[in-house]
Amino acid sequence: MNESASSNITVGAETLQELYVTMRRIRAFEEKTADLFQEGVVKGTAHSYKGEEAIAAGVCEALRDDDIIASYHRGHGHCIAKGARIDRMMAELMGRQTGYCQGLGGSMHIADMELNIMGANGIVGAAMPLATGAGLAAKLQGTDKVAVAFFGDGASNQGVFHESLNLAAVWKLPVIFVCENNQYALSTSYRNTTAVTQVSNRAASYEIPGITVDGNDGVEVYLVLREAVDRARAGEGPTLIEAMTYRHGQHSLRVNLRDPRPEDELESWMNRDPIHRMEERLTSEGGFSEAQFDETTQAVEEELETAVTYGRESPEPPVNVMLESVYAPHAAHTEPGPETERMLSYPEALNEALDQEMLRDDRVFLMGEDVGATGGIFGVSKGLMERYGAERVRDTPISEATFVGCGVGAAIAGMRPVVEIQIFDFVALTMDMLVNQAAKFRFMLGGKPSVPLVVRGPQGGGIRLAAQHSQSLEAWFTHVPGLVVAAPSSPYDAKGLLVAAIRDENPVVFLEQKLLYLGGNGPVPEELYAIPLGKADIKRAGTDVTVVATSAMVPRALSAATVLERDGISVEVIDPRTLQPLDEETILASVRKTNRLLIVHEAWVRGGFGAEVAAMVVDKAFDYLDAPVARLGAPHTPMPYNDRLELEVIPSQERIVDSIRALL
């Protein structure tokens, strides 16, 4: 449904004044930022909100303090309208430690979770999955809070736009999607890139209200938002609002191209300047005098000059601020050890970890494709929906990018989501949400917020699922600062590490090798326990050679060690258990004892995780090596379907034995 809002309805003088003051503060901030950019004080770039002030002012006037907003690269106005301090914003633009993000975020990432500002975002469309997650968190927490996603017209052509609207509509989440249609990308008109005449028309596909408003009329924006907010609080689900507006300048302060917009079009929109229109309304409806306008102007200018001085006089962040902002501290845990006669399979151990943590902490919930009634294709979540209900065990649409992003947003908003990727190769569809959002969120916000998210699922080969369902991709994630990567090799480790991952304050990529699902049972204590992240396990002590094996290669390395023991060869097998953080000292201590190292993983050798371990050992224990470090993994080929060829790709016990013999 597409509706056109009327601006004939009036509001009180106090609301008119608040809208006007907010708009004036935004305008002054943007004009001063442009001056400081030309001066070289604001570096990099910034995206001016000048000309669009009525949207941020009208939207945030309709919100409560506890409502959440998520923004995009043109986000200064949203922050100011939601209550951010201009002096701390200015300090952030100058890269100073007193800025909202300690100078680590800059213009595109200003945020403050204490004000429920989830932050501006440099990735087009990213605010939508994050706000959807915040809306899900509000629903699960039993509050009537609302989440707002701001985005530009170009983002409506992103897949996450459609996925987020669909997910929010299916779950009736309290999310309001606000498209600020300023009609141009960097230089291309949206009419040349968008199939519909109005973005709001797309709401019909999801059977939610779609409304186009005059984005240069702060009162109209406010009134329409107020209705959408009431609808969301009442549990009636999301609304898509398209605010038609026009930016006064180019895409960003750094862009120095010919302005492609026609002069008559530009002049027409300048004549509809939102601040001038609000001044006319204040005069006619609010009884505002010239003296009051002058007082407002003076107050805004004085506030801005104080903010600029504050920023200029603030210190730059020291290096330790940067280094300490990547990860939240990991909790200390005492693991009991696997000494028990109770035996569980790998999937059963994972299931028990989820069950016990969901019982212990009602913030924990599970979502993913087919995790509910069927328990997932490998049965890891079997029975959990019956015990905890469809609210906490949620079957999702097939839209990996958005339900992972929804998990990120829910984690930021106070929940502890466990998101299952049905087959881990599909994680490629989620890379923006994992790498640009989950991994960087804490850092971009100056090391203050937490993202307690677990993304788990089956990876690797061995069951003839061919090239797109059999990859081992751990090296992708160990390369990214901000992510924790766990890869348990036994039922005991699977339970304890998953519990630790759920309790951790960082995003954890939790890798479950398919071959382990099909392996035998192992000892698992019934008690609830957690294994410290970053602590390796010496699975077998030895003196002649060290084998560092990961995931499904650990049982094969242990079998190889048993074979070699018959020939008097003593093999020490180390399972890192977590690949990031890596327990370097346990590996180095072993190499200093045995003087030889073989690294075994299922993934490709070239660019694999083993290369990082090898480099670390050569760098820190070179003098102890009696032979070059050896690596064993898959050849540089995708996984074949043919069963004999698949066996050739995945390292076997026999190949591990041969590699150890070659080292000796």
Side-chain angles (χ1 to χ4, degrees):
M1 178 176 67
N2 186 294
E3 302 172 354
S4 180
S6 171
S7 59
N8 294 327
I9 305 173
T10 189
V11 296
E14 183 179 348
T15 299
L16 286 175
Q17 184 175 355
E18 289 174 353
L19 289 169
Y20 176 66
V21 170
T22 298
M23 293 164 64
R24 284 299 312 274
R25 293 175 75 225
I26 296 170
R27 175 68 60 89
F29 183 90
E30 296 293 30
E31 289 176 343
K32 179 59 70 172
T33 297
D35 292 342
L36 292 171
F37 182 82
Q38 293 299 321
E39 189 181 333
V41 177
V42 173
K43 300 179 173 66
T45 191
H47 301 78
S48 178
Y49 200 66
K50 186 177 179 181
E52 304 180 26
E53 297 89 350
I55 304 173
V59 169
C60 293
E61 183 69 21
L63 300 178
R64 295 193 315 232
D65 289 345
D66 61 344
D67 293 326
I68 293 177
I69 66 169
S71 184
Y72 65 114
H73 52 269
R74 203 175 303 283
H76 300 162
H78 309 139
C79 290
I80 293 171
K82 193 63 168 66
R85 284 172 43 184
I86 286 180
D87 56 354
R88 293 190 64 191
M89 288 182 64
M90 193 59 75
E92 186 61 35
L93 263 64
M94 295 181 186
R96 304 307 170 95
Q97 191 174 0
T98 57
Y100 270 111
C101 308
Q102 297 198 83
L104 301 180
S107 169
M108 285 191 286
H109 306 120
I110 293 178
D112 185 6
M113 288 306 298
E114 292 182 5
L115 296 173
N116 292 300
I117 301 172
M118 196 175 279
N121 206 299
I123 306 299
V124 172
M128 289 180 277
L130 299 181
T132 301
L136 175 59
K139 185 172 184 177
L140 290 172
Q141 292 160 351
T143 73
D144 67 346
K145 291 189 289 188
V146 169
V148 173
F150 290 100
F151 57 98
D153 49 276
S156 71
N157 294 320
Q158 289 274 345
V160 291
F161 167 85
H162 299 278
E163 294 178 22
S164 298
L165 262 64
N166 182 64
L167 191 64
V170 168
W171 289 348
K172 288 193 176 300
L173 299 180
V175 186
I176 301 170
F177 298 90
V178 179
C179 174
E180 299 184 332
N181 189 343
N182 65 25
Q183 304 176 60
Y184 283 86
L186 191 150
S187 61
T188 306
S189 169
Y190 93 100
R191 300 195 182 279
N192 295 333
T193 60
T194 306
V196 292
T197 55
Q198 298 292 159
V199 172
S200 61
N201 291 345
R202 288 177 161 164
S205 299
Y206 309 102
E207 298 185 354
I208 64 174
I211 305 167
T212 298
V213 300
D214 182 350
N216 282 19
D217 185 335
V219 173
E220 183 174 335
V221 173
Y222 165 69
L223 291 172
V224 171
L225 254 293
R226 196 169 62 180
E227 291 182 8
V229 167
D230 290 344
R231 183 175 182 275
R233 294 203 203 284
E236 297 176 17
T239 300
L240 171 62
I241 295 171
E242 177 187 23
M244 302 302 294
T245 186
Y246 206 81
R247 65 173 192 256
H248 283 190
Q250 292 205 41
H251 171 70
S252 73
L253 299 183
R254 196 172 189 86
V255 170
N256 189 24
L257 303 174
R258 181 187 64 82
D259 196 327
R261 298 174 296 182
E263 289 186 11
D264 57 342
E265 177 186 281
L266 187 60
E267 182 180 357
S268 172
W269 278 97
M270 291 297 181
N271 290 334
R272 298 165 62 188
D273 180 272
I275 290 181
H276 292 162
R277 293 174 68 182
M278 184 59 75
E279 288 173 343
E280 291 174 356
R281 196 156 196 162
L282 268 172
T283 301
S284 62
E285 298 176 20
F288 231 52
S289 66
E290 285 298 324
Q292 286 174 294
F293 283 122
D294 291 342
E295 288 172 7
T296 300
T297 299
Q298 183 177 353
V300 168
E301 290 177 353
E302 288 177 357
E303 178 189 27
L304 198 58
E305 287 305 316
T306 300
V308 171
T309 301
Y310 177 81
R312 288 181 185 274
E313 294 179 353
S314 294
E316 295 193 6
V319 173
N320 70 291
V321 166
M322 173 181 69
L323 299 177
E324 293 169 3
S325 295
V326 181
Y327 289 97
H330 303 295
H333 302 291
T334 302
E335 58 177 302
E339 289 77 20
T340 178
E341 295 182 1
R342 180 173 180 266
M343 307 293 280
L344 294 180
S345 69
Y346 195 91
E348 288 171 339
L350 293 167
N351 180 276
E352 186 166 271
L354 289 168
D355 186 11
Q356 292 180 342
E357 276 299 285
M358 291 180 76
L359 180 64
R360 187 188 70 87
D361 187 346
D362 60 11
R363 296 173 299 171
V364 180
F365 71 98
L366 176 66
M367 65 177 172
E369 297 161 6
D370 305 306
V371 298
T374 63
I377 60 175
F378 291 99
V380 170
S381 56
K382 185 178 180 180
L384 296 180
M385 179 175 278
E386 289 80 359
R387 285 194 283 278
Y388 299 101
E391 285 292 291
R392 293 183 66 194
V393 182
R394 308 181 75 91
D395 285 323
T396 65
I398 302 174
S399 53
E400 286 84 359
T402 289
F403 68 68
V404 168
C406 183
V408 177
I412 293 167
M415 299 300 288
R416 291 189 173 270
V418 179
V419 180
E420 178 178 302
I421 306 293
Q422 191 174 72
I423 298 292
F424 218 76
D425 306 64
F426 306 160
V427 78
L429 299 166
T430 78
M431 289 299 277
D432 173 55
M433 288 298 141
L434 276 177
V435 172
N436 284 323
Q437 308 304 326
K440 295 182 175 65
F441 190 82
R442 177 182 176 83
F443 181 83
M444 292 189 304
L445 272 66
K448 289 173 284 188
S450 298
V451 188
L453 166 74
V454 177
V455 177
R456 51 156 293 273
Q459 76 161 9
I463 59 173
R464 295 193 64 193
L465 294 182
Q468 293 180 337
H469 287 65
S470 305
Q471 298 168 99
S472 295
L473 301 171
E474 63 269 12
W476 285 5
F477 304 107
T478 58
H479 182 69
V480 178
L483 294 178
V484 174
V485 183
S489 68
S490 69
Y492 167 78
D493 289 340
K495 178 180 175 179
L497 285 174
L498 184 53
V499 170
I502 293 171
R503 296 180 185 180
D504 202 57
E505 298 298 327
N506 301 286
V508 180
V509 176
F510 197 89
L511 303 173
E512 304 157 14
Q513 216 78 4
K514 296 189 195 77
L515 286 169
L516 296 170
Y517 288 143
L518 308 176
N521 293 353
V524 179
E526 187 173 4
E527 67 185 89
L528 181 58
Y529 64 93
I531 293 173
L533 299 172
K535 181 183 177 184
D537 189 30
I538 302 174
K539 297 294 186 185
R540 178 187 177 113
T543 57
D544 295 330
V545 61
T546 298
V547 175
V548 172
T550 64
S551 201
M553 294 299 101
V554 175
R556 296 189 178 192
L558 289 170
S559 297
T562 300
V563 170
L564 290 166
E565 186 179 31
R566 301 169 192 158
D567 296 334
I569 299 173
S570 177
V571 179
E572 181 149 294
V573 178
I574 295 177
D575 177 3
R577 301 198 290 193
T578 54
L579 311 184
Q580 173 57 43
L582 179 65
D583 184 354
E584 295 183 0
E585 282 310 310
T586 295
I587 296 171
L588 291 170
S590 179
V591 170
R592 291 176 185 129
K593 177 176 64 175
T594 68
N595 311 118
R596 289 174 173 82
L597 174 62
L598 170 68
I599 306 158
V600 186
H601 52 60
E602 187 177 324
W604 303 294
V605 172
R606 183 173 298 174
F609 172 73
E612 184 62 33
V613 177
M616 182 272 294
V617 169
V618 168
D619 183 45
K620 297 182 178 181
F622 179 78
D623 291 341
Y624 292 87
L625 291 170
D626 290 342
V629 174
R631 291 179 288 150
L632 177 61
H636 208 63
T637 175
M639 189 69 72
Y641 169 70
N642 177 272
D643 53 351
R644 183 183 61 81
L645 292 177
E646 185 180 46
L647 291 174
E648 285 294 319
V649 169
I650 301 173
S652 64
Q653 172 192 309
E654 291 75 18
R655 289 171 61 194
I656 296 173
V657 168
D658 292 344
S659 296
I660 293 172
R661 290 190 187 279
L663 259 181
L664 295 168

